Amino acid sequence: MLSALILLPLLGAALIGFWPAQMSGKLSRRVALLFAILIFLWTILLAIKFNPAEVNQQFAEFIPWIDSLGLNYNLGIDGLSLPLLLLNGLLTCIAIYSSDATLQRPRFYYSLILLLSAGVIGAFLAQDLLLFFLFYELELIPLYLLIAIWGGARRSYAATKFLIYTAVSGILILASFLGMVWLSGSSSFALESLDTSTLSLTTQLLLLGGILVGFGIKIPLVPFHTWLPDAHVEASTPISVLLAGVLLKLGTYGLLRFGMNLLPEAWTYLAPWLATWAVVSVLFGSSCAIAQTDMKKMVAYSSIGHMGYVLLAAAAATPLSTLGAVMQMISHGLISALLFLLVGVVYKKAGSRDLDVIKGLLNPERGLPVIGSLMILGIMASAGVPGMVGFISEFIVFRGTYPVFPVQTLISMIGTGLTAVYFLILMDRAFFGRLSAQVTNLPRVFWSDRIPAVILALLIVIFGIQPAWLVRWTEPTITSMVNTQNNVVATVSLDKAKSKT
């Protein structure tokens, strides 16, 4: 069942890209959307059949591949990966639906989006370190091309910068993976057979350092963040939706799955420094967002701040904080996708994202009142207003981290206040007041432009009111993962104490 999730987008990409007859842009879009919907429905079917009480990998698939390298085709799904797969399926559908009907080279464009989806799905399903790395690298080239070909005026610069940063990320991650397997004496790259508890603390710290920097680039965390604002500003709206909503989550997922889970002793040792790093990312991202006049760049910097909450929760490594980390990944995916969609509609209709140019867009007669109303909802969710999914995810993060890192948690809470500040600046300057002369006679916004944003807004409210629908999938897996980590750390500490006596 899991292989179908990977094969469907690959089949769709091949069908669109290599169809022998002429295929129009509209037909390419419809075929791509059909495959994206099939992927999403298949993921929903897996979620229905998924047993939340079972903490081990479900629907597992194993095929021997390259024995000499210890590489196997090993897939599985648990409470950590399932919500992210559902998020990927939903946002891929929205990205394809929201794509410009008149874009150039549509067959190549939609093929790349489906290839990107296949790489993300494979990374979330992989239960083999080397297999994860292969899928992790698979999404690199499609995203590079999607920015470089269909991006803005500085697309070549932004795409090349993204490529270089992500290539360095992959090198560091691969080096750490190889080190874990070879130094631990494991015969394969399978997660279930890897035992790093025999490694010295110094060795674990070196390996964890590669993982932290590698995935820290992907998240991104300060100071490895500089590629993200450029990529978002130059990317088209659908690609920004995928980048912020899904692709950044590969970094946080990697930290939980391969950092905290595989190197618990080193993780515990570095936890105070990781919490401090998270605080720096939260405050820096929020402060930079306040200084922006480009709406899209402001939302991009807000992602840096909000992803810092995930690192803070992971550093505490309690069952509640780690659950909050997963909730924050999902809530950020929904909220950032909504905000980027709405900024895209504003840019499409007003011809500008500059806060010094556009004003009064909430004008009920000549402005964008519905888009402005949805923007207010998205801002409320991002600022952590109760009743929205952003509130419950941040509350769980702070509630789980405060007993472990009270100072870092309290400082990080300032980021929530700063979020309200920069988004209120955006609303005040772009949507309130008299409609500026530069954006008069705006084109009509049809419901086809609003539907994706309305769907995301409904999910933000529904999961904010009923977060248990998300928690039920994840909580048993996260609790088991954290308890296993704590047991490993306790056992290693006891063995060291005995050896000294």
Side-chain angles (χ1 to χ4, degrees), residues 105-120:
R105 305 172 69 182
R107 294 174 64 175
F108 191 32
Y109 173 84
Y110 293 115
S111 297
L112 289 175
I113 289 185
L114 291 174
L115 281 176
L116 185 66
S117 180
V120 172

Side-chain angles (χ1 to χ4, degrees), residues 7 11 19 33 47 101-102 107 109 116 120 191 194 226 241 270 321 340 376 398 417 463 501:
L7 293 176
L11 178 61
W19 189 258
L33 185 59
T102 61
R107 294 174 64 175
Y109 173 84
L116 185 66
V120 172
L191 280 171
L194 190 60
T226 59
V241 167
L270 290 179
S321 72
F340 277 117
I376 292 174
F398 295 146
F463 290 134
T501 58

Side-chain angles (χ1 to χ4, degrees), residues 80-81 84 120 123-124 126 129 132-133 136 169 173 176-177 180 191 207-208 210-216 218-219 221 246-263 267 307 310-311 314 326 329 481:
L80 175 58
S81 54
L84 296 172
V120 172
F124 287 143
L129 294 177
F132 169 86
F133 174 77
Y136 183 83
S169 167
I173 292 169
S176 295
F177 284 176
M180 278 191 282
L191 280 171
L207 296 174
L208 182 58
I211 288 177
L212 288 172
V213 176
F215 287 119
K218 192 69 173 182
I219 292 175
L221 299 169
V246 179
L247 295 173
L248 302 188
K249 309 308 178 292
L250 285 173
T252 49
Y253 172 83
L255 285 185
L256 294 177
R257 179 74 76 189
F258 308 111
M260 189 186 78
N261 193 35
L262 294 182
L263 299 166
W267 188 271
M307 296 305 285
V310 180
L311 178 61
V326 179
M329 285 190 269
M481 180 187 298

Side-chain angles (χ1 to χ4, degrees), residues 156-486:
S156 296
Y157 168 78
T160 303
K161 193 173 183 180
F162 161 77
L163 184 67
I164 293 172
Y165 270 76
T166 311
V168 173
S169 167
I171 291 171
L172 293 172
I173 292 169
L174 178 60
S176 295
F177 284 176
L178 293 175
M180 278 191 282
V181 173
W182 292 342
L183 295 176
S184 65
S186 178
S187 59
S188 73
F189 287 87
L191 280 171
E192 60 181 8
S193 64
L194 190 60
D195 181 14
T196 58
S197 62
T198 58
L199 301 177
S200 66
L201 178 59
T202 303
T203 302
Q204 289 191 37
L205 290 173
L206 288 173
L207 296 174
L208 182 58
I211 288 177
L212 288 172
V213 176
F215 287 119
I217 292 172
K218 192 69 173 182
I219 292 175
L221 299 169
V222 175
F224 311 116
H225 66 285
T226 59
W227 65 268
L228 183 67
D230 292 321
H232 270 308
V233 168
E234 300 307 324
S236 61
T237 296
I239 306 309
S240 286
V241 167
L242 291 176
L243 177 57
V246 179
L247 295 173
L248 302 188
K249 309 308 178 292
L250 285 173
T252 49
Y253 172 83
L255 285 185
L256 294 177
R257 179 74 76 189
F258 308 111
M260 189 186 78
N261 193 35
L262 294 182
L263 299 166
E265 186 184 3
W267 188 271
T268 303
Y269 183 86
L270 290 179
W273 298 100
L274 298 179
T276 303
W277 191 9
V279 171
V280 172
S281 287
V282 169
L283 296 183
F284 183 87
S286 300
S287 300
C288 287
I290 293 176
Q292 305 307 313
T293 58
D294 186 316
M295 295 173 66
K296 200 172 187 183
K297 208 165 189 177
M298 183 180 288
V299 177
Y301 273 109
S302 76
S303 291
I304 298 171
H306 283 88
M307 296 305 285
Y309 294 137
V310 180
L311 178 61
L312 176 67
T318 65
L320 187 59
S321 72
T322 310
L323 178 63
V326 179
M327 288 287 293
Q328 179 67 10
M329 285 190 269
I330 302 302
S331 70
H332 176 266
L334 296 173
I335 295 169
S336 63
L338 173 63
L339 293 176
F340 277 117
L341 276 175
L342 296 174
V343 170
V345 174
V346 169
Y347 183 66
K348 181 179 179 181
K349 301 300 180 181
S352 176
R353 300 188 301 257
D354 192 339
L355 296 177
D356 294 330
V357 174
I358 53 176
K359 298 181 187 300
L361 294 181
L362 267 177
N363 186 296
E365 295 182 0
R366 295 180 297 156
L368 305 173
V370 176
I371 298 302
S373 301
L374 290 171
M375 180 68 81
I376 292 174
L377 186 145
I379 287 172
M380 291 169 62
S382 186
V385 173
M388 310 284 181
V389 71
F391 166 77
I392 191 63
S393 62
E394 290 180 13
F395 177 80
I396 294 175
V397 168
F398 295 146
R399 180 65 183 86
T401 58
Y402 182 80
V404 184
F405 301 117
V407 175
Q408 290 93 329
T409 302
L410 290 174
I411 296 175
S412 292
M413 289 181 180
I414 298 174
T416 302
L418 293 177
T419 300
V421 170
Y422 59 73
F423 275 140
L424 284 176
I425 291 174
L426 184 151
M427 285 301 304
D428 179 61
R429 297 175 66 179
F431 290 90
F432 292 105
R434 180 177 295 179
L435 192 67
S436 59
Q438 295 94 325
V439 291
T440 54
N441 300 319
L442 296 177
R444 179 182 175 186
V445 180
F446 297 97
W447 272 105
S448 58
D449 295 317
R450 299 170 181 163
I451 287 175
V454 170
I455 292 173
L456 290 172
L458 288 174
L459 290 175
I460 287 169
V461 174
I462 289 171
F463 290 134
I465 297 173
Q466 187 55 272
W469 292 350
L470 284 176
V471 171
R472 64 181 295 270
W473 283 323
T474 304
E475 188 172 13
T477 299
I478 293 302
T479 302
S480 175
M481 180 187 298
V482 174
N483 288 339
T484 301
Q485 177 198 18
N486 293 336

